Amino acid sequence: VTAAEISSSFAQVGPLAAQMGVEIEELAAGFARLTASGTPAGEAATQMASALTALLKTTPGLEALQKQTGKNYAAIAGDKGLVEALQQMRVDAEKGGVALVDLVGRKEALLYILQTTGPNFDAYNADLRAMGDAAGTASEQMGERQQGLAFQLSKLKANLIDAGVTVAEGVLP
């Protein structure tokens, strides 16, 4: 997948994720997990958006599960992350004998859940950690660049002051 493909499809999921408090690293991990398995970036965005929407616009099955468990999976998504909420929902559904498809209603949401939870939960979390490490590395690199730029600007300023003093000494008696 290319950065251009991700950027063009990010608008499908980004605003909804932001509204729910889902971090950008989690979206990046979702793109990584799905596109690595061959899902196009646009479809990955659709699946993530569908999973987010499923938590906001609950089905009767999800409402019943939330009443039974006393959990609000949309709130969990905002607090602990989308996939953590989906993992808890999947575990609770299995305990209650409820089919996942009855909880989310849409195939796209179901596909996202299947690719990031259950046996894929550890792999998703590895991707999420990698995104966090990458974000930290990018932040460190930006800090070094900014530090380098500040240093270069201070050198330029010192050189300009020296040049000004030199010119002034030549002009003034």
Side-chain angles (χ1 to χ4, degrees):
V1 67
T2 66
E5 291 170 331
I6 290 176
S7 68
S8 68
S9 59
F10 185 81
Q12 295 177 37
V13 68
L16 183 58
Q19 176 190 353
M20 291 183 67
V22 174
E23 299 291 330
I24 194 166
E25 290 85 3
E26 189 167 358
L27 297 181
F31 275 113
R33 176 88 334 246
L34 273 61
T35 58
S37 66
T39 304
E43 181 60 26
T46 299
Q47 289 179 15
M48 283 187 272
S50 184
L52 287 163
T53 302
L55 296 180
L56 291 174
K57 186 179 178 186
T58 59
T59 63
L62 182 55
E63 286 179 22
L65 183 65
Q66 289 185 137
K67 284 181 185 175
Q68 178 186 355
T69 62
K71 295 179 181 179
N72 180 322
Y73 298 105
I76 294 169
D79 292 339
K80 296 181 179 180
L82 172 61
V83 175
E84 177 61 35
L86 296 174
Q87 175 67 15
Q88 287 186 32
M89 184 178 75
R90 183 176 182 156
V91 168
D92 292 342
E94 287 173 4
K95 286 179 185 175
V98 180
L100 282 174
V101 72
D102 294 335
L103 301 178
V104 295
R106 290 199 48 158
K107 174 184 83 168
E108 293 84 2
L110 179 62
L111 289 173
Y112 185 73
I113 293 167
L114 294 174
Q115 293 179 85
T116 57
T117 65
N120 296 311
F121 188 60
D122 289 338
Y124 168 81
N125 280 318
D127 291 338
L128 184 58
R129 281 189 300 279
M131 292 306 134
D133 292 345
T137 300
S139 179
E140 288 173 18
Q141 289 173 347
M142 182 55 81
E144 288 175 17
R145 284 188 198 112
Q146 288 174 338
Q147 186 177 35
L149 178 60
F151 178 73
Q152 292 298 324
L153 289 175
S154 68
K155 276 179 55 177
L156 177 61
K157 181 180 176 183
N159 287 336
L160 288 174
I161 290 171
D162 285 345
V165 169
T166 303
V167 170
E169 285 177 348
V171 175
L172 296 174

